[in-house]
Amino acid sequence: MFVVGSFVHWRTLALLATIPALLQLLLLFFIPESPRWLAKFGCEKELEATLLCLKGDKADISHEVIEIKLIILQDYMESLKSFSSEGVLDIFQKKYVRPLLTVAGVLVLMNLGGINALTYYSGAIFVSAGVSSMVGLITLAATQVCFTVILDIKILIDGMMSP
């Protein structure tokens, strides 16, 4: 959007940004129901029809139907066990302090650091600094993408390393 926004009017950019959402909305009507969701609510005939649609009309789905039902039953039993012991305040356990502080700190520092003002007025800021608006916006977008990818990779690695 940064790059396209350098070439088109903001209203055109807003209209272009709606295209993916509208496309997803239209394609949503063609997605079959989830077999697990159907099993969860006891819709056995629909479950089998959906699995046949996904796997092919001649596929043997009997084993998979039983497996899905067992998984749903196990999930239900686990949720019953943990339902009485879990609460909203459990998120403030010692093991969650560091991740919570990290997320809260990043959100607070981003807003206090003026990232929104920088983003909104970046075109004018780059022009007043003597840099082409388009070059500045593309550099800003590339920097944001790089740091987002780096941060996401770090979060994934930390998530895999933690017990």
Side-chain angles (χ1 to χ4, degrees):
M1 286 297 136
F2 280 109
V3 175
V4 175
S6 300
F7 299 108
V8 299
H9 193 262
W10 71 268
R11 287 188 177 125
T12 307
L13 186 66
L15 289 173
L16 288 173
T18 62
I19 291 173
L22 291 175
L23 184 63
Q24 283 181 332
L25 183 65
L26 292 173
L27 293 175
L28 186 65
F29 293 106
F30 300 103
I31 298 174
E33 295 290 345
S34 164
R36 289 188 184 204
W37 185 88
L38 291 167
K40 184 178 179 181
F41 290 101
C43 305
E44 292 190 29
K45 289 183 181 180
E46 291 88 351
L47 165 66
E48 292 175 8
T50 300
L51 279 174
L52 285 173
C53 176
L54 293 171
K55 302 279 184 180
D57 290 333
K58 297 181 181 180
D60 180 24
I61 59 166
S62 58
H63 185 322
E64 195 166 353
V65 169
I66 293 169
E67 185 179 329
I68 289 173
K69 288 179 183 179
L70 285 174
I71 290 172
I72 296 298
L73 182 61
Q74 287 173 349
D75 289 347
Y76 178 71
M77 297 304 287
E78 287 178 20
S79 68
L80 282 179
K81 288 178 189 174
S82 64
F83 182 69
S84 59
S85 65
E86 288 184 2
V88 175
L89 295 178
D90 284 345
I91 198 168
F92 296 106
Q93 294 176 11
K94 187 176 182 178
K95 63 182 176 181
Y96 299 129
V97 169
R98 186 173 178 197
L100 281 174
L101 287 177
T102 303
V103 170
V106 167
L107 291 173
V108 167
L109 289 175
M110 278 177 31
N111 288 313
L112 291 178
I115 191 68
N116 291 336
L118 175 72
T119 303
Y120 297 148
Y121 296 108
S122 57
I125 292 170
F126 286 121
V127 168
S128 67
V131 178
S132 166
S133 172
M134 186 168 44
V135 170
L137 289 173
I138 291 171
T139 305
L140 179 65
T143 304
Q144 285 181 336
V145 168
C146 288
F147 278 105
T148 301
V149 168
I150 291 169
L151 185 62
D152 287 348
I153 290 171
K154 182 184 179 342
I155 289 170
L156 282 173
I157 291 172
D158 288 348
M160 285 189 264
M161 297 295 178
S162 66

